[in-house]
Amino acid sequence: MHDYKSYNKNNLIRYFRELNLNSIKKLIHSIDPSIKIKKNIIMSELNFRNQLIHKSKDLSIYNDSKCTNLSNAIYKINLIKSSKKILILGGKLKTLDHSKLKISNTLVLIFGQYSDSFLARLNFINSRFYKFTELNELVNFLKLVTKIYKYNYILFSPGGESFDNYQNYSDRGKKFNRLIKKIIF
């Protein structure tokens, strides 16, 4: 594994991709060690995995709708060394692990009917949260809060399965992109 501290903010997305690629390789290797995987084949098939959808001088927005694991979403947001960051969570949590996850220096926006399940799993350190019924409401709030507080990073990494309101993670990712484009700052 790489030392993420050596990456500057422009290379953070590359680090996320390498992290995901390594996880995929480990999984495949545990199933059959003889399988060889080419990096470009895996990455080209992972839509909505750390996709940079907006970049300006002061704000970067990433769509990681593919993320259906809360631990992974929290890990990624904690890699961003800024106090001006937002994590968007939603969906139905997987029931694999019930441990508390520490989230630091982050505004957490949670949407959907399973919001309380997310809150039960999170240990907030210098962070706060808001709950929303739907993604549309959340994005409207996002427009307001980013104008007032000047956040630098927004990571849409739901941490839960998409089947509560969407056909799949791709459907959820497309919807998020459309909503962001409507309110682009």
Side-chain angles (χ1 to χ4, degrees), residues 17 46 111 122 144 148:
R17 286 185 176 147
L46 294 177
F111 70 96
L122 298 174
L144 295 173
I148 296 169

Side-chain angles (χ1 to χ4, degrees), residues 8-34:
N8 63 31
K9 67 181 182 179
N10 295 328
N11 291 327
L12 193 57
I13 190 73
R14 184 181 311 155
Y15 175 76
F16 286 159
R17 286 185 176 147
E18 289 175 14
L19 177 67
N20 292 323
L21 177 62
N22 288 334
S23 297
I24 292 167
K25 284 181 177 180
K26 285 179 185 177
L27 175 66
I28 291 171
H29 184 72
S30 72
I31 295 168
D32 185 351
S34 67

Side-chain angles (χ1 to χ4, degrees), residues 138-177:
L138 184 151
V139 171
N140 287 332
F141 175 80
L142 189 64
K143 182 177 182 178
L144 295 173
V145 78
T146 54
K147 285 184 179 181
I148 296 169
Y149 295 105
K150 306 294 183 202
Y151 284 90
N152 302 117
Y153 299 95
I154 298 172
L155 176 61
F156 178 65
S157 191
E161 296 176 341
S162 58
F163 303 116
D164 59 331
N165 290 314
Y166 304 95
Q167 292 177 352
N168 52 40
Y169 76 88
S170 182
D171 182 38
R172 177 172 65 188
K174 288 175 186 174
K175 171 109 185 210
F176 180 74
N177 284 358

Side-chain angles (χ1 to χ4, degrees), residues 70-71 93-101 117-123:
L70 182 59
S71 297
L93 283 175
K94 296 178 180 178
T95 57
L96 300 175
D97 184 11
H98 296 288
S99 62
K100 286 272 193 177
L101 301 167
S117 299
F118 283 90
L119 292 175
R121 295 277 317 279
L122 298 174
N123 179 14

Side-chain angles (χ1 to χ4, degrees), residues 30-177:
S30 72
I31 295 168
D32 185 351
S34 67
I35 297 174
K36 303 290 182 211
I37 305 297
K38 291 183 179 180
K39 182 177 179 175
N40 61 348
I41 291 173
I42 291 175
M43 296 315 296
S44 66
E45 295 177 10
L46 294 177
N47 294 326
F48 304 108
R49 174 62 85 190
N50 304 312
Q51 174 190 27
L52 180 62
I53 60 170
H54 174 77
K55 175 87 172 145
S56 66
K57 178 183 168 192
D58 300 318
L59 178 66
S60 297
I61 304 174
Y62 295 93
N63 184 338
D64 187 29
S65 180
K66 180 89 169 101
C67 180
T68 59
N69 179 299
L70 182 59
S71 297
N72 194 14
I74 300 305
Y75 180 74
K76 288 177 184 179
I77 197 66
N78 285 335
L79 286 176
I80 299 172
K81 300 301 177 195
S82 170
S83 61
K84 296 289 190 171
K85 58 187 175 180
I86 298 173
L87 173 63
I88 301 172
L89 298 171
K92 185 176 181 184
L93 283 175
K94 296 178 180 178
T95 57
L96 300 175
D97 184 11
H98 296 288
S99 62
K100 286 272 193 177
L101 301 167
K102 293 179 183 178
I103 185 160
S104 302
N105 302 310
T106 304
L107 173 60
V108 180
L109 306 180
I110 309 169
F111 70 96
Q113 62 186 343
Y114 299 101
S115 297
D116 290 334
S117 299
F118 283 90
L119 292 175
R121 295 277 317 279
L122 298 174
N123 179 14
F124 294 96
I125 301 167
N126 296 321
S127 299
R128 60 188 187 279
F129 70 88
Y130 294 94
K131 297 187 320 183
F132 301 88
T133 306
E134 296 179 4
L135 187 57
N136 297 358
E137 288 177 301
L138 184 151
V139 171
N140 287 332
F141 175 80
L142 189 64
K143 182 177 182 178
L144 295 173
V145 78
T146 54
K147 285 184 179 181
I148 296 169
Y149 295 105
K150 306 294 183 202
Y151 284 90
N152 302 117
Y153 299 95
I154 298 172
L155 176 61
F156 178 65
S157 191
E161 296 176 341
S162 58
F163 303 116
D164 59 331
N165 290 314
Y166 304 95
Q167 292 177 352
N168 52 40
Y169 76 88
S170 182
D171 182 38
R172 177 172 65 188
K174 288 175 186 174
K175 171 109 185 210
F176 180 74
N177 284 358

